[in-house]
Amino acid sequence: MEISAALIATMVVALLAAVTVLRTVRIVPQARARNVERLGRYHRTLSPGLNFVIPYIDRVYPKIDLREQVVSFEPRSVITEDNLVVEIDTVLYFQVTDPRAAAYEIAGFLQAVEQLTVTTLRNVVGSMDLERTLTSRDTINSQLRGVLDDATGKWGLRVNRVEIKAIDPPATIKDAMEKQMRAERAKRAAILAAEGQRQSQILTAEGDKQAAVLRAEGNRTAEILKAEGEARAIDQVFQAVHRNDADPKLLAYQYLQTLPQLAQGEGNTFFVIPSEVTSALHNVSRAFAENLPRSAAVRDADVGDAPVAAAQEDATKAAEAVADAVASAVATEKTR
């Protein structure tokens, strides 16, 4: 029994010694800190690494994270200057710089930061209308960060960034904004279509103008070349006629050659024999009469110029009769 009591006492002492050693040695991880109170009063802050404290006298509080922390708050209702209620989500980036102040200057610094963020957000957004609130996130973020950083400095905190994650206007405002957006897009589409049609019409008109100018230039050049060609042809014919000294007999013969071509038109219903035809036939008949050889009886009789004049007159009458017959035949052919 005595051995058993001694063994139990030894075991109790060993256990107490082990507990004492464990409470004496404290290991703090990197980027962490622990506050120590001695007899109920703040004594010091344990730094990362191996630390020793007095057991049963010093009280070591839980670790405080010194790294930058990210906290996303629940959506909060905020009233804008134009009396519209919007839901705003915020994200806060902060860091504990003084573990003692974070533990003793504020009770629950995380809750305090959240409430301060909501209050500041309502003050900032309350001075803006909805449109400015939706388009001024950077301004809101900077104002929130400035106010929070000043207020939380004495708490041992540093606010690095404040971000507006979402701004949700009421459902009716969303519908109105969507309708306005669709109207703006339809307006821009109509403007672009009208501008495209206008440019197309301008380009088409410019193309037609240039084409008309080119066609006019081509027609003018063709007419000039045609006129020059006709002028050269007439000049050459005129020079050939004067160079060869054509007599009235040749001209009358050419005139008779041209008469059938004048009657070949499909629209001609009658044919007029001009008065020059008779003169031309007179010249032809006179030429044939003058060039006919005289018979021996006529030469021997030597009756003078009277029979010759009578023969010429007969030839002229015969030519006139031939011309009349030709004209009648042509007129009859055209009237069919």
Side-chain angles (χ1 to χ4, degrees):
M1 295 293 295
E2 294 180 357
I3 297 176
S4 298
L7 181 60
I8 293 174
T10 303
M11 292 178 61
V12 170
V13 171
L15 181 61
L16 183 61
V19 171
T20 302
V21 172
L22 291 176
R23 293 178 65 88
T24 301
V25 178
R26 298 297 176 93
I27 298 176
V28 180
Q30 182 65 34
R32 307 290 195 280
R34 302 186 71 172
N35 293 323
V36 178
E37 291 182 356
R38 179 168 293 179
L39 299 177
R41 186 177 180 179
Y42 172 77
H43 177 64
R44 65 190 177 97
T45 300
L46 300 181
S47 59
L50 182 63
N51 296 273
F52 297 95
V53 297
I54 300 176
Y56 310 111
I57 297 177
D58 293 340
R59 181 181 179 184
V60 181
Y61 280 85
K63 295 186 293 292
I64 298 176
D65 198 339
L66 301 180
R67 296 173 297 178
E68 185 175 4
Q69 302 180 43
V70 182
V71 180
S72 178
F73 301 131
E74 294 294 329
R76 298 292 181 173
S77 298
V78 181
I79 301 176
T80 61
E81 186 180 11
D82 48 356
N83 296 325
L84 292 175
V85 180
V86 295
E87 299 289 333
I88 299 180
D89 295 347
T90 55
V91 179
L92 183 67
Y93 297 82
F94 71 95
Q95 185 177 8
V96 177
T97 58
D98 188 357
R100 187 195 65 80
Y104 295 103
E105 296 294 336
I106 184 71
F109 62 85
L110 188 59
Q111 183 181 3
V113 169
E114 180 181 2
Q115 296 300 322
L116 181 61
T117 301
V118 173
T119 304
T120 307
L121 183 63
R122 288 176 177 173
N123 293 333
V124 173
V125 176
S127 61
M128 300 180 180
D129 56 8
L130 179 61
E131 184 176 359
R132 186 180 175 188
T133 301
L134 295 175
T135 58
S136 303
R137 294 194 177 191
D138 293 338
T139 303
I140 298 174
N141 294 337
S142 61
Q143 292 183 8
L144 283 176
R145 181 182 178 279
V147 173
L148 292 175
D149 198 18
D150 292 340
T152 58
K154 63 180 181 179
W155 298 342
L157 307 176
R158 183 177 67 242
V159 178
N160 297 325
R161 296 182 62 184
V162 180
E163 295 291 340
I164 302 297
K165 185 167 63 175
I167 300 177
D168 296 329
T172 55
I173 301 300
K174 287 183 178 180
D175 295 338
M177 293 173 63
E178 290 179 358
K179 292 180 181 179
Q180 182 180 2
M181 186 182 301
R182 288 195 296 267
E184 289 292 334
R185 290 180 178 176
K187 176 183 175 182
R188 289 196 297 267
I191 291 174
L192 292 176
E195 187 67 22
Q197 186 177 3
R198 173 175 171 270
Q199 292 293 335
S200 177
Q201 291 178 355
I202 290 174
L203 294 177
T204 302
E206 289 291 336
D208 295 340
K209 175 183 175 182
Q210 293 180 3
V213 170
L214 292 177
R215 285 195 297 269
E217 290 289 338
N219 294 333
R220 187 186 70 170
T221 304
E223 293 294 335
I224 291 174
L225 294 176
K226 182 179 179 181
E228 290 179 353
E230 292 179 353
R232 290 179 181 177
I234 293 173
D235 184 64
Q236 291 180 0
V237 172
F238 182 78
Q239 290 180 3
V241 171
H242 283 276
R243 184 172 57 251
N244 295 323
D245 193 16
D247 56 359
K249 294 180 289 183
L250 178 60
L251 297 177
Y253 178 74
Q254 291 292 333
Y255 196 86
L256 290 176
Q257 293 285 334
T258 309
L259 285 177
Q261 297 179 3
L262 296 176
Q264 292 179 1
E266 296 181 356
N268 295 335
T269 57
F270 63 92
F271 183 73
V272 178
I273 302 298
S275 59
E276 288 81 357
V277 176
T278 305
S279 300
L281 293 176
H282 288 171
N283 293 330
V284 174
S285 62
R286 187 179 295 111
F288 279 106
E290 290 177 355
N291 294 326
L292 287 174
R294 297 181 179 180
S295 62
V298 174
R299 290 195 302 268
D300 293 339
D302 194 10
V303 293
D305 295 333
V308 174
Q312 291 179 354
E313 184 177 359
D314 294 337
T316 300
K317 292 180 179 180
E320 291 177 354
V322 171
D324 293 338
V326 171
S328 300
V330 172
T332 304
E333 182 67 23
K334 288 299 180 180
T335 54
R336 292 179 179 179

